[in-house]
Amino acid sequence: HEEPLLFEHAHEAPESINLPGVDGEISAELSAFSRKQAANIPGLSEPETVRHFVRLSQWNHGIETGFYPLGSCTMKYNPRVNEQVVRLPGLAHIHPDQPEDTAQGVLELMYELQDWLGEVSGLPHVTLQPAAGAHGELAGLMMIKAALDARGQSQRRKVLVPDSAHGTNPASAALCGMHTVELKSGADGRIDLDELKAHLDDETAALMMTNPNTAGAFESDIKEICQLVHDAGGLVYGDGANLNALVGVARPGDMGIDCLHINVHKTFSTPHGGGGPGGGPVAVNDTLAPYLPVPRIEKHGDTLTLVNACDTSVGPVLGTPGQIGVYIRANAYISAFGRQHLHKIAEDAVLNANYVLHRLKDRYHVPFEGLCKHECLLTDEIQNKHGVKTLDIAKRLIDLGFHPMTVYFPLIVHGAMLIEPTETESRETLDAFCDAMLEIADACEAGDTEALHEAPLKPFRRRLDETQAARKPVLVWPE
Amino acid sequence: HEEPLLFEHAHEAPESINLPGVDGEISAELSAFSRKQAANIPGLSEPETVRHFVRLSQWNHGIETGFYPLGSCTMKYNPRVNEQVVRLPGLAHIHPDQPEDTAQGVLELMYELQDWLGEVSGLPHVTLQPAAGAHGELAGLMMIKAALDARGQSQRRKVLVPDSAHGTNPASAALCGMHTVELKSGADGRIDLDELKAHLDDETAALMMTNPNTAGAFESDIKEICQLVHDAGGLVYGDGANLNALVGVARPGDMGIDCLHINVHKTFSTPHGGGGPGGGPVAVNDTLAPYLPVPRIEKHGDTLTLVNACDTSVGPVLGTPGQIGVYIRANAYISAFGRQHLHKIAEDAVLNANYVLHRLKDRYHVPFEGLCKHECLLTDEIQNKHGVKTLDIAKRLIDLGFHPMTVYFPLIVHGAMLIEPTETESRETLDAFCDAMLEIADACEAGDTEALHEAPLKPFRRRLDETQAARKPVLVWPE
Amino acid sequence: MRFLPHTDTDRTAMLETIGVSNMAELFSDIPGEFHIEKGSLEIADALSEAGIVRKFTKASEKNRNATNSRYFLGGGTYHHFVPAVVDYIISRGEFLTAYTPYQPEISQGTLQALFEFQTMIARLTGMDVSNASMYEAATATAEAALMARRVTRKSRVVMAGSVNPRYRSVTANYLSRLDGEYAEVDMGRHGTDLDKVIAAIDEKTACVIVQYPDFYGSVYDLAPLRAACDAARCLMVVAFSDISAFALIESPGAMGADIAVGSGQSLGIPMGFGGPHLGLFTCKQKYLRQMPGRVCGLTSDADGKRGFVLTLSTREQHIRREKATSNICSNQGLMCTAAATYMTQMGDAGLGTVARHSAAALHSLVSQLPGHVTAAHGAHYNETVLSFADQQARDRFLKAAQESDIFAGIPLEQIETAADGRHLLVATTEMVEEADINDYLAILEVAK
Amino acid sequence: MRFLPHTDTDRTAMLETIGVSNMAELFSDIPGEFHIEKGSLEIADALSEAGIVRKFTKASEKNRNATNSRYFLGGGTYHHFVPAVVDYIISRGEFLTAYTPYQPEISQGTLQALFEFQTMIARLTGMDVSNASMYEAATATAEAALMARRVTRKSRVVMAGSVNPRYRSVTANYLSRLDGEYAEVDMGRHGTDLDKVIAAIDEKTACVIVQYPDFYGSVYDLAPLRAACDAARCLMVVAFSDISAFALIESPGAMGADIAVGSGQSLGIPMGFGGPHLGLFTCKQKYLRQMPGRVCGLTSDADGKRGFVLTLSTREQHIRREKATSNICSNQGLMCTAAATYMTQMGDAGLGTVARHSAAALHSLVSQLPGHVTAAHGAHYNETVLSFADQQARDRFLKAAQESDIFAGIPLEQIETAADGRHLLVATTEMVEEADINDYLAILEVAK
């Protein structure tokens, strides 16, 4: 079914929705500013509104409709009870500026989450302010910069970033007034210690690293890496995007990481919502604690309070206390596992990734040998010989009922396919996915590649012309 | 995507769900009765449970996904706020036997709904006990029987039922220990007064009638019909399935109907849920009031109470106070329209049906001339000439994106197609549906009927073999 | 009105298409004397959506409920835990706003869920087949009696006095409109005396109806009754009120039931002040074609693919009219989807835990009762009768408990009218915690 | 664990496939010294789902909320009505559990909703284009300043002192890490003095940021600023906190804004203690390629059918890395769908009513104030500052109001640190009824 755009629905808006409130006069002063032309928002009746958006929803693939193995995105199941509790009136309909004594319940949940994130990361001081991972990177770098400045090291403005890093890393560094130097990965896809040493100097502010890295490999030299950076006078920023591989099993703080952002929409299963909202709390060690953003949630006696005054703080990075609704869900996810089961998140996530790797490794090129952690990296090298590229494989997976893996990232290999199954997928689903991948490999070898180039054929739309979209951008519907 | 049966999911059940409560001993006496063989209920993890049922849901057509013009079923939009309020903890998590002083809120809503249904029907005494329309028929006939018995007329056991009636009418009469005589409809599809007179005698208990009838026509002789039945010593039962045509515009009680059941899942928009739950409150006049079922909701002083003791009552017809959750939604629907707008339900419903009738009447055979009420009746007579039957038209509509109308009912015409658009459909949708119907008519005339016989081709399943299902019934999956 | 898509311009244009000049003309076939003045009905003023939320929130807050009180209430309705996924699934418009699946090609979701429901209900009850629901347990019991009469072509129905009084009275009420005898067997105590029941069987008997566990929560062996029914060639009908029991104790099927009926409310459906609940109807395969209500069956489509349809509709009223096996049409469809989701989420292990915790809570309570309160003897699942010295003692306790946010039980006479006023019907589920039992016991001591 | 599908049998079989003998081996690449003991983290014990519901219900009940109190609080977060359909739509798994629509063929639902969102936001703000959201208003304001610097290749940012102090401090904070001057213009009163703002513009100025309606709720003509910006060839950036205003008063676009940023929380998103909210970012077409954040654009598929994709990604960090227009990646996607649903349900007429009722409530309140309380002068939309004789008088009133379940306003110094303690920032929406205003006024009299 072709659902038209709202603006194409063939009628005037029906009678206005009945609304509560004061149906009275507005002030004469305000009337002078009345809008002259209607905004032209096409109101639909409630039946039409619901049908429009329900139909749109039917064109989406989500975790609830199928496997979603996007590498580095940690698309795990989002518990329904979390959606229930976040809508409790005392959590949904509260104002950030209402008196604190009338909001202790929500503050308790936030305070508890801070504690838990500190435990999980091994970095005991946590801010919930950052609204997303990249925002956490900015906040973390601000703290690092402040700490270095306090040491009188304000010349340290260089941030080392492996070439396998997420693109947000260099972008965040730039936003924080620092510049980045790219570290070339070693032959095993990991940080090359020599390369690292070669770039460490007295201008180095920090190394930003993701561990496990975006090739799914654990940086086994982590202790030495951190030591080298610290010895050189820098700090180590951890990109927590891949924390799912470690939760309950090992802690970045114990390894020498100074500062880590935690994508709660990944590790702690708050829904991705088609692109957000997420949450990017940052956990830091004692060195960086003085610089945490404000407001901070602190306990004074039995009372929790939002503290804004702090001389050493890097200041606020958001205009509100944070993505509270997202954090309520994260607290609920951790509560469900608890002390007893939390490590099973990492265990099953890593088990699943290695299982997929081992089922596919003979038919797809594996650029880096060895165990993977929560995600595994393949390339299209074998399929290239048959004229098939990563993009074709991805689109063919759609026809076979799966969301594709992350493609062409990390940039350190050609034709990357990064697969992250997460802990919430069954062996049955993994097998079905691997069977589909093997079917594609078979088709390539058999030279039966037409369906691969044409794919996808089954969904509501076929391959979309991105060049056309970018060349002459149409971002709004004309009136 | 082919979603397997639960029982086909390829694994053992994962670890048990964590449940609250007392993890202690059970009594030795009870242990002696322990179940010897597991029930073999295939527990799935929560991610798999959700994905299984979400995928199943995708194979359904519902009011929220498209037009659903089932005649006599009144498939209107089901407001989302009703789903919200019915889940309030003080309405969802309450026990029918908790002390009445702790349940006044729900009793108030029920009492108010009784009043309103009395107002709408013109029959002021209402029972909320019956769980569905057919159940209301039974309760109503019990009351009629009791009233006749009280008059010393216990020989009256004959129920007159027009041949256009819903099948539940005779079935309910039989269940109430009465027998039915079918009245042949007149040439206009309405009750034939001579036919009625011919069957009225001193064994006649009641006439069961639907008005507007199942051909969508208002029984304009209603006053005379009721008078004739009353004069003959019988009572008139109204089947309220078609009340949507009258709500706020005219009242069955004013016309002489003694007793009417009201399908709240039709007229007052509680969702049909794939076949229920519905609700079939019965409204009666003063004559029948003494016989209302128990429990009754009565107001004593400021307190509402469920009254069970009543000598004249026909007794309880249900083991609980009723389909409370359904009635909460019905109350909310009426609240949204209120006194000011209630009549618009009938107005727009009738407008929509007549609009469809007039757009189609030149291309489809209209068995009965004149205005229709909330639904319009067509037949396949014209399309028969091209070898196309009602069933083909219905299945072709599926391919064109619509749920079919009611087919082969009422039985008084050959190849019936009964279309009920309801008040919540837009002109745009009606036009799209009529265009589809006209496209089908065009195809028939052009002899282009293959798609009609093959239909449906688009949904997940094509025509299903009902004979096979009935001949060797498989109602459960083998272990 | 936000539910009505038309503007007045639409209405005018449509009236023109129809060829009438105004809305009133569309109603000209209704005699003028019956037209009522618009807005004249005594119904409240229209509310905004926010107004509706406020109105129902206010009503909701007048009721104490299971999120702010502890419930020891049963008698046919139980406060079991409902996982959030159940409500989410049945809230999806595709399930919620669909009709009865008469067009199977675009209703396979509902149909497959029904097939899965039927299968799991059959397995849990130990019966061969299940239908796709009845209204609730009392009407299901009545329908079982009627079915037994059709199967046996005999008309007498014997009902044990330990069946829930509400199931009994609805069944008696249904049967009283039809020919044939109905006999209730007084048990003389808060439990089931099968000897008395068996003694009531005669050659005209179509069926014997017992409840298992019975209304007072007691669990007993049905083998003697099975033998007696075989001897008299009548059907053994087993009613039940909390199906979670059968994850722990022998099922009605294993006990030999021909027909087993009861409530499925415990399977993921909130108490809701009594409805909508879920009536269950199961029987042996051989009686299938006399079963009331809709059933979903397996078949294949034009391409040979597996699919599901509503089947055996020749039993039903839209085909058979007055000869139908029942008049039931709308049933509790959505509640079947709820129960299917619930059972899938629970599995054998989860259902077993629910049952164990429910029974363990009762055992914990009963085995710690103070001397002035007695509980019925024998095997009990999650429900029993507590007896006090007199009504004053009981009501003093009830009041004290309610003040501590505990609904301590249902005064027995509230359901069983003839009972004297010193008994309390008490039920437990997995929602009762050890602390709640301790509070309960403490109040019993204090309010002695 | 109910979220984990594997049984131990599955795990064993999978470990075998992989070729390792136990789970620990999978983690052998992590140096042993970093392995922590299972269960050793100081985290609460695992809760059942029922336990989670109880825990959060208890926390929820500790907070007073807008279903049991009357809110006169604003300052960037507003209690507008949220229709039930909004929450239903964003609760559907297809929207809720999807990722960023990087695979457009199976994400057209999210994408079309985003395109509709962008269009409606552009229309409401009167701007040419909108992106697909920022985190919230303060960071959007900071990003606007950065964008203006890119567009103009100048670096000085002038900020009116009547912009929400939180937007100001976040913007200042962002800018302070980069080169370039940042100047705040003190207004000297609870309103906006454009003359002072204009006086602060110089040739190095990249942009001037004002809020409209300003932090104190006041509405004023931006034409003089537009002229001054033209003269200085800098951009006029307009921030806003309650977008519902623009259904009633002239839009930022009509006032000449080059960039307009602010909060979309009023569009169907609950207050949620401050998040997740919705940051909006709009600008003139010509500056499009310097805009931060994701955008959705129209295109066609391989069959020529209309479709939507995320576009202009060459501005973004996964392509441009440190040269990206912003580091924002995850945004508030789901909140865009919420806002699109809300606006569709409301339409011009509904949005207009929301705005009129919001403004009328403030007007009603202000025009009935007793003599001992004064309100800021001039045109106000739905927010203003009430001033008392001293802090004691104000706090006495606040306390009395709270005892009557009214949150009467935000102490101004809570947001604007420098303010003295006798002011109250007061906001109204359509959720305020005449009766609430009467109660408010009555308490003002009593608590004098």
Side-chain angles (χ1 to χ4, degrees), chain A residues 144 148 151 153 156 158 160 200-207 225-237 256 258 287:
Chain A
I144 286 173
L148 293 170
R151 290 179 188 168
Q153 303 260 301
R156 291 190 179 267
K158 185 169 79 174
L160 307 181
L200 286 169
D201 56 24
D202 64 3
E203 294 191 346
T204 303
L207 166 69
I225 290 168
C226 292
Q227 197 62 55
L228 284 168
V229 177
H230 289 151
D231 288 350
L235 294 163
V236 184
Y237 182 95
D258 297 290
T287 308

Side-chain angles (χ1 to χ4, degrees), chain A residues 190-207:
Chain A
R190 293 181 168 83
I191 289 174
D192 181 321
L193 292 183
D194 292 332
E195 169 85 358
L196 174 62
K197 285 177 200 157
H199 287 91
L200 286 169
D201 56 24
D202 64 3
E203 294 191 346
T204 303
L207 166 69

Side-chain angles (χ1 to χ4, degrees), chain D residues 58-364:
Chain D
K58 209 171 134 197
S60 164
E61 286 172 355
K62 284 190 190 168
N63 307 325
R64 293 214 57 82
N65 68 76
T67 68
N68 56 28
S69 299
R70 280 83 59 83
Y71 277 57
F72 288 79
L73 309 182
T77 304
Y78 302 88
H79 179 47
H80 285 288
F81 181 65
V82 182
V85 298
V86 174
D87 197 46
Y88 169 61
I89 292 298
I90 65 168
S91 296
R92 287 180 57 86
E94 295 89 329
F95 281 128
L96 184 74
T97 73
Y99 195 70
T100 308
Y102 287 137
Q103 294 289 345
E105 298 88 348
I106 46 176
S107 312
Q108 286 296 304
T110 292
L111 285 162
Q112 183 167 327
L114 284 179
F115 185 81
E116 293 173 347
F117 164 82
Q118 290 175 178
T119 301
M120 288 191 279
I121 293 300
R123 290 181 181 186
L124 200 49
T125 55
M127 303 296 290
D128 295 336
V129 293
S130 165
N131 80 359
S133 84
M134 309 300 284
Y135 307 133
E136 42 68 79
T139 50
T141 306
E143 294 272 12
L146 295 171
M147 171 169 159
R149 290 165 35 134
R150 290 192 297 274
V151 167
T152 59
R153 296 169 187 268
K154 299 193 278 187
S155 70
R156 185 165 176 273
V157 172
V158 173
M159 174 77 83
S162 55
V163 172
N164 186 318
R166 290 174 179 154
Y167 305 176
R168 282 188 272 140
S169 59
V170 170
T171 303
N173 203 13
Y174 267 57
L175 293 175
S176 70
R177 268 76 191 176
L178 303 168
D179 296 332
E181 194 187 337
Y182 170 78
E184 272 188 18
V185 185
D186 182 25
M187 292 290 110
R189 61 177 171 91
H190 296 148
T192 301
D193 184 339
L194 273 191
D195 290 342
K196 288 186 179 166
V197 176
I198 289 166
I201 300 173
D202 66 14
E203 62 187 6
K204 289 179 297 176
T205 301
C207 67
V208 179
I209 305 177
V210 292
Q211 185 171 329
Y212 164 83
D214 70 19
F215 171 61
Y216 313 101
S218 97
V219 178
Y220 54 97
D221 186 7
L222 287 164
L225 180 61
R226 176 69 269 173
C229 287
D230 284 339
R233 284 188 301 178
C234 69
L235 301 193
M236 177 167 116
V237 175
V238 175
F240 52 86
S241 62
D242 187 344
I243 190 175
S244 71
F246 307 135
L248 181 66
I249 64 169
E250 266 314 359
S251 67
M255 290 282 197
D258 293 297
I259 301 173
V261 293
S263 176
Q265 180 261 324
S266 299
L267 302 175
I269 298 164
M271 298 184 289
F273 205 63
H277 286 179
L278 169 61
L280 300 176
F281 201 110
T282 64
C283 69
K284 288 185 174 162
Q285 175 83 27
K286 61 182 167 186
Y287 303 132
L288 176 61
R289 286 173 198 270
Q290 289 300 336
M291 186 163 65
R294 291 186 197 125
V295 290
C296 169
L298 187 148
T299 187
S300 51
D301 81 351
D303 293 335
K305 287 187 189 158
R306 180 174 74 193
F308 302 92
V309 292
L310 292 183
T311 189
L312 303 181
S313 57
T314 49
R315 299 166 302 120
E316 290 183 69
Q317 67 292 129
H318 62 278
I319 308 278
R320 292 271 283 182
R321 301 184 79 88
E322 69 182 326
K323 296 202 170 51
T325 55
S326 167
N327 73 332
I328 191 170
C329 182
S330 281
N331 56 16
Q332 305 291 99
L334 193 68
M335 273 47 225
C336 298
T337 304
T341 308
Y342 174 85
M343 288 187 277
T344 303
Q345 175 67 103
M346 290 287 163
D348 276 338
L351 290 166
T353 305
V354 165
R356 268 194 307 103
H357 288 193
S358 298
L362 189 76
H363 183 56
S364 169

Side-chain angles (χ1 to χ4, degrees), chain B residues 4 6 8 20-23 25 27 30 33-36 39-41 43-44 46 52-53 56-57 59-61 63-64 68 73 75 78 80 87 89-90 92-95 97-99 102-103 105-106 108 112 119 134-135 145 165 172 175 177 180 218 220 223 245 249-250 254 271-277 314 316-317 319-320 322-325 331 335 337-340 343 347-348 352 358 371 373 395 424 427 461-465 468 470 474-477, chain C residues 5-6 10-11 14 18 25-27 29 33-34 36 38-39 41-47 55 59-60 62-66 71 74 77 87 91-100 103-107 109-110 112 115-116 118-120 123-124 136 139 146 166 173-174 177 220 246 248-250 271-276 288-289 297-303 305-306 311 321-322 327 331-332 334 344-345 347-348 350 356-357 360 363 380 402 414 430 434:
Chain B
L6 280 178
E8 297 171 307
V22 176
D23 192 6
E25 295 290 302
S27 73
L30 186 63
F33 290 94
S34 287
R35 184 170 181 136
K36 283 166 205 70
N40 205 7
I41 306 295
L44 297 183
E46 187 170 322
H52 177 74
F53 287 101
L56 291 191
S57 79
W59 300 342
N60 262 13
H61 183 100
I63 267 291
E64 285 187 356
Y68 216 130
C73 299
M75 295 295 289
N78 309 125
R80 277 288 158 189
R87 286 165 172 80
H93 302 298
I94 52 177
H95 193 288
D97 290 298
Q98 72 187 57
T102 68
V106 68
E108 280 168 21
E112 184 176 62
E119 268 297 291
H135 202 217
K145 201 175 177 186
S172 297
L175 190 56
T180 49
F218 189 79
S220 302
K223 190 177 178 184
V249 168
D254 296 345
H272 283 74
V314 295
V317 295
T320 79
Q323 307 267 49
I324 307 302
N331 184 311
S335 296
F337 283 86
R339 168 202 309 264
Q340 295 87 342
H343 61 280
E347 284 186 353
D348 279 0
N352 283 356
H358 279 265
L371 286 173
K373 293 266 81 55
K395 299 299 183 190
T424 63
R427 187 179 163 202
R461 284 293 179 265
R462 297 190 51 213
R463 288 193 204 186
L464 288 137
D465 187 342
Q468 177 194 331
V474 178
L475 309 188
V476 300
W477 189 245
Chain C
H6 296 329
D10 289 322
R11 292 188 181 99
M14 292 169 76
I18 298 168
E25 251 186 81
L26 290 178
F27 293 89
D29 49 358
E33 63 185 301
F34 300 133
I36 58 177
K38 285 176 193 174
L41 293 181
E42 288 203 21
I43 284 171
D45 287 338
L47 291 179
K55 168 182 169 171
S60 165
K62 285 189 190 168
N63 307 324
R64 293 213 59 81
N65 68 76
Y71 276 58
T77 304
D87 199 46
S91 297
R92 287 179 58 84
E94 295 89 329
F95 281 128
L96 184 74
T97 73
Y99 195 71
T100 308
Q103 294 288 344
E105 298 88 349
I106 46 177
S107 311
T110 292
Q112 183 167 327
F115 185 80
E116 293 173 347
Q118 291 175 178
T119 301
M120 289 191 278
R123 290 181 181 186
L124 200 49
E136 43 68 79
T139 50
L146 295 171
R166 289 173 179 156
N173 203 13
Y174 268 57
R177 268 76 189 177
Y220 54 97
F246 307 135
L248 181 65
I249 64 170
E250 267 313 0
M271 298 184 288
F273 205 63
L288 176 61
R289 286 175 198 268
L298 186 148
T299 189
S300 53
D301 81 350
D303 293 336
K305 286 188 189 157
R306 181 174 73 193
T311 189
R321 302 183 79 86
E322 68 182 325
N327 73 330
N331 56 16
Q332 304 292 99
L334 193 69
T344 303
Q345 174 67 101
D348 276 337
R356 268 194 309 100
H357 288 194
H363 183 57
H380 284 256
Q402 194 175 323
Q414 193 168 312
E430 79 281 10
E434 201 71 59

Side-chain angles (χ1 to χ4, degrees), chain C residues 78-394:
Chain C
Y78 302 88
H79 179 47
H80 285 288
F81 181 64
V82 182
V85 297
V86 175
D87 199 46
Y88 169 61
I89 292 297
I90 65 167
S91 297
R92 287 179 58 84
E94 295 89 329
F95 281 128
L96 184 74
T97 73
Y99 195 71
T100 308
Y102 288 136
Q103 294 288 344
E105 298 88 349
I106 46 177
S107 311
Q108 286 295 305
T110 292
L111 284 162
Q112 183 167 327
L114 283 180
F115 185 80
E116 293 173 347
F117 164 82
Q118 291 175 178
T119 301
M120 289 191 278
I121 293 299
R123 290 181 181 186
L124 200 49
T125 56
M127 303 296 290
D128 295 334
V129 292
S130 164
N131 79 359
S133 82
M134 309 299 286
Y135 306 133
E136 43 68 79
T139 50
T141 306
E143 293 271 11
L146 295 171
M147 171 170 158
R149 290 165 36 134
R150 289 192 297 273
V151 167
T152 59
R153 296 172 188 265
K154 297 194 277 185
S155 70
R156 185 163 174 273
V157 171
V158 173
M159 174 76 81
S162 55
V163 172
N164 185 317
R166 289 173 179 156
Y167 305 177
R168 283 189 271 139
S169 58
V170 170
T171 304
N173 203 13
Y174 268 57
L175 293 175
S176 69
R177 268 76 189 177
L178 304 167
D179 296 334
E181 196 188 335
Y182 170 78
E184 272 189 19
V185 185
D186 183 26
M187 292 290 108
R189 61 178 173 89
H190 296 150
T192 301
D193 184 338
L194 273 191
D195 292 340
K196 288 186 181 169
V197 175
I198 290 167
I201 300 174
D202 65 14
E203 61 187 7
K204 288 178 298 177
T205 302
C207 69
V208 179
I209 305 177
V210 293
Q211 185 170 330
Y212 164 84
D214 70 18
F215 172 61
Y216 312 101
S218 97
V219 178
Y220 54 97
D221 185 6
L222 286 164
L225 181 60
R226 176 68 270 172
C229 288
D230 284 339
R233 285 187 302 178
C234 69
L235 301 193
M236 181 168 113
V237 175
V238 175
F240 53 85
S241 62
D242 187 343
I243 191 175
S244 71
F246 307 135
L248 181 65
I249 64 170
E250 267 313 0
S251 67
M255 289 284 196
D258 294 297
I259 301 173
V261 293
S263 176
Q265 180 261 324
S266 298
L267 302 174
I269 299 164
M271 298 184 288
F273 205 63
H277 286 179
L278 169 61
L280 301 175
F281 201 110
T282 65
C283 68
K284 288 187 173 160
Q285 175 84 25
K286 60 181 166 186
Y287 303 133
L288 176 61
R289 286 175 198 268
Q290 289 301 335
M291 187 164 64
R294 289 184 200 126
V295 292
C296 168
L298 186 148
T299 189
S300 53
D301 81 350
D303 293 336
K305 286 188 189 157
R306 181 174 73 193
F308 302 92
V309 291
L310 291 184
T311 189
L312 302 182
S313 58
T314 50
R315 299 165 304 119
E316 289 184 70
Q317 67 294 130
H318 61 280
I319 309 277
R320 292 271 285 182
R321 302 183 79 86
E322 68 182 325
K323 297 202 168 52
T325 56
S326 166
N327 73 330
I328 192 171
C329 182
S330 283
N331 56 16
Q332 304 292 99
L334 193 69
M335 274 49 224
C336 298
T337 304
T341 308
Y342 174 85
M343 289 187 278
T344 303
Q345 174 67 101
M346 290 288 163
D348 276 337
L351 290 167
T353 305
V354 165
R356 268 194 309 100
H357 288 194
S358 297
L362 189 76
H363 183 57
S364 169
L365 177 66
V366 165
S367 53
Q368 297 179 75
L369 283 175
H372 69 286
V373 185
T374 57
H377 288 290
H380 284 256
Y381 169 51
N382 68 339
E383 199 153 14
T384 192
V385 177
L386 299 189
S387 301
F388 291 71
D390 53 32
Q391 178 155 3
Q392 286 71 30
R394 185 198 68 180

